[in-house]
Amino acid sequence: DGGITQSPKYLFRKEGQNVTLSCEQNLNHDAMYWYRQDPGQGLRLIYYSQIVNDFQKGDIAEGYSVSREKKESFPLTVTSAQKNPTAFYLCASSTQGSGQPQHFGDGTRLSIL
Amino acid sequence: GENVEQHPSTLSVQEGDSAVIKCTYSDSASNYFPWYKQELGKGPQLIIDIRSNVGEKKDQRIAVTLNKTAKHFSLHITETQPEDSAVYFCAATMDSNYQLIWGAGTKLIIKP
């Protein structure tokens, strides 16, 4: 079945530590996105990539970094510079272009130890 | 920039009744309006979408209406069932922008 796989489902970060969240898709989509969701709130865009080896900052990119070396993969690193990283992180993908439906993975919940 | 407001934040309806969730947007250039359903611990799932050249779209018990003049769009769920309980999000975007702008979500509770 085609879809988006996020791993791990739960992740814990220690103070001063960088952690990387995995996102893989086999939908042959060009575009991929990372969102942050806080309790009772909507989704906020962290980074997006319309094509391999290219990505743009979203509304809340500070303290995060990404790479897009392969079409299928868009890993997100939460750096120690992100002072409030506890949240639910969602990865999505779509065909290229605006106004395209986005398909989501089941998220990674990040907590601070 | 675009802003999307969603109401109500919580909606409780009796099983079998209809539910309506409304969103308003600020930028008249917005032309794509999806609705997503999110169950606990899962990612959002697209349930229906509409483009600005269409006023209404239906898919079984779900419908979306768009009023471009008033800049609002609504999700209608008829004959609600327990499995409709979830958080619903609206969003909007324009041709010139790859970003979806999201509403804050509506928690729909179906009472047995």
Side-chain angles (χ1 to χ4, degrees):
Chain A
D1 285 340
I4 298 178
T5 302
Q6 290 188 242
S7 62
K9 192 166 181 64
Y10 301 96
L11 188 58
F12 298 91
R13 196 191 88 169
K14 296 180 181 178
E15 291 290 335
Q17 186 182 44
N18 293 354
V19 292
T20 298
L21 285 60
S22 171
C23 178
E24 303 277 333
Q25 55 98 0
N26 60 5
L27 298 168
N28 199 32
H29 285 165
D30 287 304
M32 297 187 74
Y33 311 81
W34 273 105
Y35 290 93
R36 171 179 171 139
Q37 186 175 31
D38 292 285
Q41 297 188 29
L43 280 66
R44 292 185 291 168
L45 184 65
I46 305 172
Y47 269 97
Y48 66 101
S49 168
Q50 290 292 315
I51 199 168
V52 173
N53 292 322
D54 187 47
F55 48 83
Q56 283 77 43
K57 293 182 179 180
D59 299 321
I60 55 165
E62 186 174 349
Y64 301 97
S65 66
V66 294
S67 63
R68 186 83 189 278
E69 297 176 1
K70 298 188 300 181
K71 186 176 183 178
E72 302 79 19
S73 178
F74 192 38
L76 173 74
T77 297
V78 184
T79 74
S80 56
Q82 173 49 247
K83 297 306 179 188
N84 183 24
T86 297
F88 191 47
Y89 290 87
L90 289 160
C91 178
S93 71
S94 72
T95 55
Q96 196 176 51
S98 60
Q100 299 301 322
Q102 293 183 15
H103 302 262
F104 284 83
D106 278 339
T108 292
R109 189 165 299 280
L110 176 62
S111 302
I112 296 298
L113 284 177
Chain B
E2 175 65 286
N3 182 49
V4 176
E5 294 189 0
Q6 183 171 347
H7 300 280
S9 57
T10 304
L11 178 60
S12 183
V13 302
Q14 205 70 37
E15 182 179 349
D17 288 350
S18 295
V20 181
I21 303 169
K22 183 176 177 178
C23 287
T24 59
Y25 60 98
S26 58
D27 196 324
S28 56
S30 291
N31 59 5
Y32 174 66
F33 308 93
W35 284 91
Y36 286 81
K37 175 184 180 182
Q38 186 177 27
E39 297 177 342
L40 197 61
K42 299 281 191 180
Q45 181 180 18
L46 179 72
I47 55 173
I48 196 166
D49 56 10
I50 193 168
R51 298 188 186 274
S52 59
N53 57 348
V54 175
E56 182 177 3
K57 184 176 179 181
K58 285 185 179 180
D59 183 2
Q60 299 182 343
R61 296 187 297 109
I62 293 173
V64 56
T65 58
L66 172 65
N67 183 327
K68 288 191 292 182
T69 303
K71 290 190 283 188
H72 67 72
F73 57 111
S74 299
L75 177 71
H76 305 254
I77 305 174
T78 59
E79 301 173 8
T80 52
Q81 300 169 4
E83 53 265 35
D84 295 329
S85 293
V87 178
Y88 291 81
F89 290 96
C90 64
T93 192
M94 302 173 276
D95 271 342
S96 60
N97 193 329
Y98 294 113
Q99 294 190 35
L100 280 177
I101 308 301
W102 295 78
T106 296
K107 183 176 183 179
L108 177 62
I109 301 166
I110 307 301
K111 297 181 291 185

